[in-house]
Amino acid sequence: MTKPLEFWFEFASTYSYPAAMQVEAACAARGVPLVWKPFLLGPVFGAQGMTDSPFNLYPVKGAYMWRDMERICAAAALPLHKPSTFPRGSMLAARICAAHADADWIGDFVRAVYSANFAEDLDIGAADVIGPVLQALGQEAATIIDSAGTPEAKQALRALTDDAIARGIFGAPSFTVGTELFWGHDRMDMALTEAAGGD
Amino acid sequence: MTKPLEFWFEFASTYSYPAAMQVEAACAARGVPLVWKPFLLGPVFGAQGMTDSPFNLYPVKGAYMWRDMERICAAAALPLHKPSTFPRGSMLAARICAAHADADWIGDFVRAVYSANFAEDLDIGAADVIGPVLQALGQEAATIIDSAGTPEAKQALRALTDDAIARGIFGAPSFTVGTELFWGHDRMDMALTEAAGGD
């Protein structure tokens, strides 16, 4: 029996980039419903006692990650420009997703924000970057950016991040199918197989 | 042009278990020469400021890893019995490999030690576990175990671990092909493709 795939992503997270670019098409190809689950890694890392990205805390691992990202993006024909700031502020874009989770432009918005961060090296934390992204999707940028500052939007993202921690999520991207958790872009196929009912 | 695949493994490392069980057959299937590279993770983690396995330091990540290992081993038809002690002492088996890297029984020895740790829940740090493993391979157990205590064997393993750190290795299993580094059981296919010349 097919189950929904919940895709947990953080706009600052490197390996979330190829996953975010591929997940909607991959779900469609397998007939799996997709649920977008934006969250913030900061509180998740904080719950593990970390004060920064593990890729910054462990520079040897960070150096490897960037080389691995080059190979993965090349294999997926995705452009990659190492962001001049890492990690980038992801609060604004994540609150927009949390507040508009069911909007029909969410998938396009997610992909455009990841492209801005990892292909165009733009500061996705800034309203003057996110505004044009929304406009290009035909949306009312100012209204949507304002909505991200409401108590409801803040609470929606906080609830998602709390839920991530409660489910044992410790990094991004992650995938959940029922109570099964899969961590990493390289587990996307395994998660899809689980969601598709083991086929 | 085909290049050798160097397989960096640590007998205590969980994800090294499926990799170690599969790597020789996978290399043979691709016509890739395999070089066994035993090393110790303790000094590697120490160089990153960690005093224990990250799976013990970050228990949420550890819990995920054991579930992930169950799925991976089930998919590969490998038995898995969570070791009652983790990580297990790997010094003796690693020194034996370092001292006998070119012996024709190394592949069988590596696989038998991983089975003892991860399928049979035996203390691979003990000579009375490693001895019968060697005997079952038709080797002179006492002579080989004694050889692991020589200054040459200790120095050989120390040199391998120093080389791992110098190459930017930060976890196990890892694979190197020339200067390209791949980390994790899930990167084995990518490393094999690199070794096979991109085919």
Side-chain angles (χ1 to χ4, degrees), chain A residues 51-102:
Chain A
T51 54
D52 193 356
S53 163
F55 297 128
N56 289 339
L57 292 174
Y58 304 113
V60 174
K61 196 166 181 172
Y64 169 79
M65 177 274 290
W66 290 113
R67 175 65 190 132
D68 194 44
M69 277 288 289
E70 286 178 353
R71 292 187 301 228
I72 287 171
C73 290
L78 288 171
L80 176 68
H81 181 120
K82 184 179 167 180
S84 47
T85 301
F86 177 80
R88 278 242 166 71
S90 51
M91 184 91 82
L92 173 59
R95 282 182 179 163
I96 288 173
C97 287
H100 301 274
D102 299 324

Side-chain angles (χ1 to χ4, degrees), chain A:
Chain A
M1 207 188 75
T2 302
K3 298 174 215 160
L5 180 80
E6 295 165 318
F7 173 58
W8 298 83
F9 61 101
E10 146 73 83
F11 283 110
S13 148
T14 51
Y15 288 109
S16 294
Y17 166 49
M21 303 306 275
Q22 298 168 334
V23 68
E24 195 162 33
C27 281
R30 302 287 289 268
V32 167
L34 171 63
V35 184
W36 299 97
K37 292 278 194 182
F39 74 113
L40 295 181
L41 272 178
V44 173
F45 288 154
Q48 299 173 61
M50 285 187 280
T51 54
D52 193 356
S53 163
F55 297 128
N56 289 339
L57 292 174
Y58 304 113
V60 174
K61 196 166 181 172
Y64 169 79
M65 177 274 290
W66 290 113
R67 175 65 190 132
D68 194 44
M69 277 288 289
E70 286 178 353
R71 292 187 301 228
I72 287 171
C73 290
L78 288 171
L80 176 68
H81 181 120
K82 184 179 167 180
S84 47
T85 301
F86 177 80
R88 278 242 166 71
S90 51
M91 184 91 82
L92 173 59
R95 282 182 179 163
I96 288 173
C97 287
H100 301 274
D102 299 324
D104 60 6
W105 45 267
I106 280 295
D108 288 332
F109 176 73
V110 167
R111 287 182 289 271
V113 173
Y114 275 105
S115 288
N117 192 6
F118 291 104
E120 298 158 55
D121 192 22
L122 296 173
D123 178 8
I124 59 165
D128 62 5
V129 167
I130 296 300
V133 164
L134 287 163
Q135 282 160 7
L137 300 174
Q139 302 307 312
E140 297 223 358
T143 307
I144 291 173
I145 287 174
D146 283 351
S147 76
T150 62
E152 291 74 20
K154 293 177 183 177
Q155 180 49 34
L157 182 58
R158 209 175 291 125
L160 282 158
T161 301
D162 288 348
D163 191 21
I165 293 171
R167 288 164 180 249
I169 288 173
F170 54 88
S174 289
F175 307 87
T176 49
V177 179
T179 58
E180 287 290 315
L181 168 63
F182 302 86
W183 171 55
H185 170 248
D186 44 34
R187 292 294 185 276
M188 188 161 73
D189 280 344
M190 206 187 277
L192 279 164
T193 298
E194 175 76 16
D199 301 339

Side-chain angles (χ1 to χ4, degrees), chain B residues 136-176:
Chain B
L137 300 175
Q139 301 306 313
E140 297 223 356
T143 309
I144 291 172
I145 287 172
D146 283 350
S147 75
T150 62
E152 291 74 20
K154 294 177 184 179
Q155 180 49 33
L157 181 58
R158 208 176 291 125
L160 281 158
T161 301
D162 288 347
D163 192 21
I165 294 171
R167 287 164 180 249
I169 288 174
F170 55 88
S174 289
F175 307 86
T176 50

Side-chain angles (χ1 to χ4, degrees), chain B residues 35-109:
Chain B
V35 184
W36 299 97
K37 292 279 193 181
F39 74 113
L40 295 181
L41 272 178
V44 172
F45 289 154
Q48 298 173 61
M50 286 187 278
T51 54
D52 193 356
S53 163
F55 297 128
N56 289 339
L57 293 174
Y58 305 113
V60 175
K61 197 166 183 173
Y64 169 78
M65 177 275 291
W66 289 113
R67 175 65 189 132
D68 194 43
M69 277 288 290
E70 286 177 353
R71 293 187 301 228
I72 287 171
C73 290
L78 287 171
L80 176 66
H81 180 119
K82 184 178 166 180
S84 47
T85 301
F86 176 79
R88 279 243 165 71
S90 51
M91 184 90 83
L92 173 59
R95 282 182 179 163
I96 288 173
C97 287
H100 299 274
D102 300 323
D104 60 6
W105 45 267
I106 280 297
D108 288 332
F109 176 73

